[in-house]
């Protein structure tokens, strides 16, 4: 047995053990010259029948023009990928294709076909679920919350203490559900392949000031102050201002919820080497030790109540970490029980 024959047998043995369909096609005739055991079982063919078949004879039944284009592409570029749909089984498959030059000088194309029907079905179900969340949940919940706030404000007359308590609970829960819906849709947007960061030359010092001003009303609602703790002037970076504002808004709102009435949440930015470091500090109870290692994971949240009485979705910090990574930065935190928590974000500096 030659070395080539031995290698061929080893490769064939490997292919016969996998649960993906493997085809080998002769480039000049388009005929199948090899199918692994799994492919033979899927087609119901004997190995002796292989040399008389083409890819068009399989249950995938692609058009000849499609196969011709595939072969030309693979031979020109060395590899290609495309999607096959089997009419017989209703399955959708992904085919990875590679050009193979054999010792006899013949050009062949190797196809490894993987069933992605479940992945496709899962993607379809995910989109349907998001559509339901957007159209069937968010809109009525917004109306319900608005009606509850009118009741709470006395639009239909004074409520009894018991009724007022029930309305307050219902309002808090509707706000929690709306927050969860917002976060789910936001996480979905961020993780889409087409999600874009739009960088521009940004003065972080100015952004810190505008962010503090924009959140003053929210702070007043919780009787918390937002303060600049010493931002350096003229810190410039190439980044997306809307996404940085989104990150800071999330961190500031979280900090305000754990800060006692009359307390202060601090925000500042400064130059640290070739980076701009942005800090958000609260003087709350600190992050529970059991939560620290998984703080940025999805649905990670403390079971301890906060002053806003609205439980978070557990997605906010996961969204923050994903956004910071897409901005080319890093995020970390330090915390101490009974003392507070400081989040640190870094972004690369650019010239003014």
């Amino acid at each position: 047995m030659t070395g080539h024959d031995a290698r061929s047998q080893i490769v064939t043995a490997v292919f016969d053990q996998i649960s993906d369909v493997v085809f080998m096609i002769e480039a000049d005739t388009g005929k199948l010259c090899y199918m692994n055991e799994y492919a033979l079982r899927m087609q119901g063919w004997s190995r002796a029948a292989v040399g008389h078949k083409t890819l068009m004879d399989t249950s995938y039944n692609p058009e000849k023009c499609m196969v011709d284009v595939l072969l030309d592409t693979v031979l020109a570029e060395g590899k290609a990928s495309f999607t096959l749909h089997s009419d017989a089984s209703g399955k959708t498959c992904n085919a990875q294709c590679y050009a193979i030059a054999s010792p006899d000088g013949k050009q062949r194309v190797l196809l490894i076909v993987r069933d992605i029907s479940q992945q496709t079905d899962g993607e379809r179900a995910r989109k349907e679920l998001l559509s339901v969340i957007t159209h069937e949940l968010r809109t009525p919940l917004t109306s319900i919350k608005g009606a509850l706030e009118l009741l709470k404000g006395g639009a239909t007359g004074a409520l009894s203490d018991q009724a007022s308590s029930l309305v307050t609970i219902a309002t808090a829960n509707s706000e929690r559900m709306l927050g969860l819906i917002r976060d789910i849709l936001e996480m979905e947007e961020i993780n889409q392949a087409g999600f874009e960061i739009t960088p521009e030359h940004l003065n972080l010092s100015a952004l810190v000031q505008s962010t503090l001003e924009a959140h003053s009303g929210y702070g007043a609602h919780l009787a918390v102050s937002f303060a600049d703790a010493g931002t350096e002037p003229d810190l410039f970076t190439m980044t997306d201002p809307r996404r940085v504002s989104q990150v800071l808004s999330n961190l500031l709102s979280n900090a305000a919820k754990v800060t006692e009435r009359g307390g202060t949440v601090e925000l500042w930015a400064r130059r640290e080497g070739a980076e701009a470091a942005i800090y958000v500090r609260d003087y709350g109870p600190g992050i529970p030790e059991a939560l620290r290692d998984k703080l940025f994971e999805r649905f990670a949240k403390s079971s301890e109540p906060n002053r806003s009485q609205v439980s978070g979705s557990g997605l906010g910090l996961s969204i923050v970490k994903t956004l910071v990574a897409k901005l080319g930065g890093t995020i970390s935190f330090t915390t101490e029980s009974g003392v507070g928590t400081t989040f640190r974000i870094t972004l690369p500096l650019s010239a003014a």
Side-chain angles (χ1 to χ4, degrees):
M1 182 185 299
T2 67
H4 170 67
D5 291 336
R7 288 194 298 272
S8 296
Q9 287 192 9
I10 292 171
V11 171
T12 299
V14 171
F15 281 149
D16 282 341
Q17 296 302 313
I18 67 175
S19 56
D20 290 333
V21 169
V22 179
F23 296 122
M24 186 82 77
I25 303 174
E26 292 181 350
D28 55 349
T29 66
K31 290 184 177 180
L32 298 172
C33 56
Y34 169 77
M35 293 169 61
N36 69 341
E37 291 291 341
Y38 185 74
L40 290 170
R41 289 198 304 272
M42 292 291 290
Q43 299 300 320
W45 295 348
S46 67
R47 189 167 294 283
V50 173
H52 306 287
K53 303 288 187 180
T54 70
L55 195 59
M56 287 85 76
D57 297 319
T58 68
S59 60
Y60 303 105
N61 195 28
E63 296 180 359
K64 185 177 185 305
C65 61
M66 176 184 174
V67 176
D68 290 342
V69 170
L70 165 67
L71 295 177
D72 290 343
T73 302
V74 176
L75 293 176
E77 301 181 8
K79 62 181 179 179
S81 63
F82 70 108
T83 301
L84 283 170
H85 181 76
S86 170
D87 293 330
S89 65
K91 292 182 178 179
T92 300
C93 300
N94 173 259
Q96 298 295 323
C97 316
Y98 305 91
I100 304 293
S102 62
D104 59 10
K106 289 186 177 181
Q107 287 286 333
R108 293 183 172 90
V109 174
L110 175 70
L111 276 72
I112 302 176
V113 183
R114 174 163 295 176
D115 184 356
I116 58 170
S117 301
Q118 289 186 342
Q119 177 182 332
T120 304
D121 292 343
E123 179 68 13
R124 186 181 304 111
R126 182 187 60 80
K127 290 182 178 179
E128 290 174 355
L129 175 60
L130 288 171
S131 178
V132 169
I133 289 173
T134 302
H135 301 293
E136 304 298 333
L137 290 179
R138 182 169 58 179
T139 299
L141 267 174
T142 301
S143 298
I144 291 169
K145 179 174 177 289
L148 289 169
E149 288 175 341
L150 288 173
L151 287 173
K152 187 177 179 181
T156 60
L159 300 176
S160 66
D161 290 344
Q162 185 177 13
S164 179
S165 176
L166 290 173
V167 168
T168 298
I169 293 171
T171 302
N173 279 297
S174 63
E175 176 60 34
R176 180 177 64 84
M177 290 301 296
L178 281 170
L180 175 59
I181 289 171
R182 282 194 302 270
D183 287 346
I184 289 174
L185 295 176
E186 192 169 358
M187 179 65 78
E188 174 63 18
E189 177 194 4
I190 292 169
N191 287 316
Q192 285 297 306
F195 178 78
E196 293 184 355
I197 294 293
T198 308
E200 60 182 70
H201 198 54
L202 175 68
N203 187 338
L204 283 176
S205 310
L207 183 67
V208 166
Q209 297 306 315
S210 62
T211 299
L212 290 171
E213 293 171 5
H215 287 76
S216 60
Y218 182 74
H221 172 70
L222 294 177
V224 171
S225 299
F226 292 111
D228 186 337
T231 296
E232 290 185 28
D234 300 326
L235 293 175
F236 290 90
T237 183
M238 284 295 296
T239 192
D240 188 328
R242 185 167 74 92
R243 297 304 179 182
V244 176
S245 295
Q246 188 176 348
V247 167
L248 295 181
S249 178
N250 192 300
L251 294 177
L252 288 173
S253 62
N254 284 351
K257 291 174 184 177
V258 299
T259 299
E260 294 296 328
R261 295 179 66 86
T264 300
V265 173
E266 296 174 342
L267 169 67
W268 74 97
R270 68 188 184 195
R271 185 178 286 99
E272 294 183 356
E275 296 177 322
I278 309 171
Y279 293 87
V280 176
R281 178 166 62 199
D282 68 63
Y283 295 92
I287 297 168
E289 188 168 351
L291 189 62
R292 294 174 187 177
D293 289 341
K294 56 182 180 181
L295 187 64
F296 294 109
E297 295 178 8
R298 293 186 184 186
F299 302 109
K301 59 181 180 178
S302 174
S303 59
E304 298 178 8
N306 60 63
R307 283 204 310 111
S308 71
Q309 302 302 311
V310 177
S311 175
S313 66
L315 288 171
L317 287 176
S318 177
I319 291 171
V320 164
K321 185 174 182 180
T322 302
L323 280 174
V324 170
K326 288 182 179 292
L327 291 168
T330 64
I331 183 168
S332 58
F333 69 91
T334 57
T335 188
E336 186 176 348
S337 297
V339 176
T341 301
T342 302
F343 283 91
R344 176 180 181 266
I345 299 163
T346 65
L347 294 170
L349 282 170
S350 65

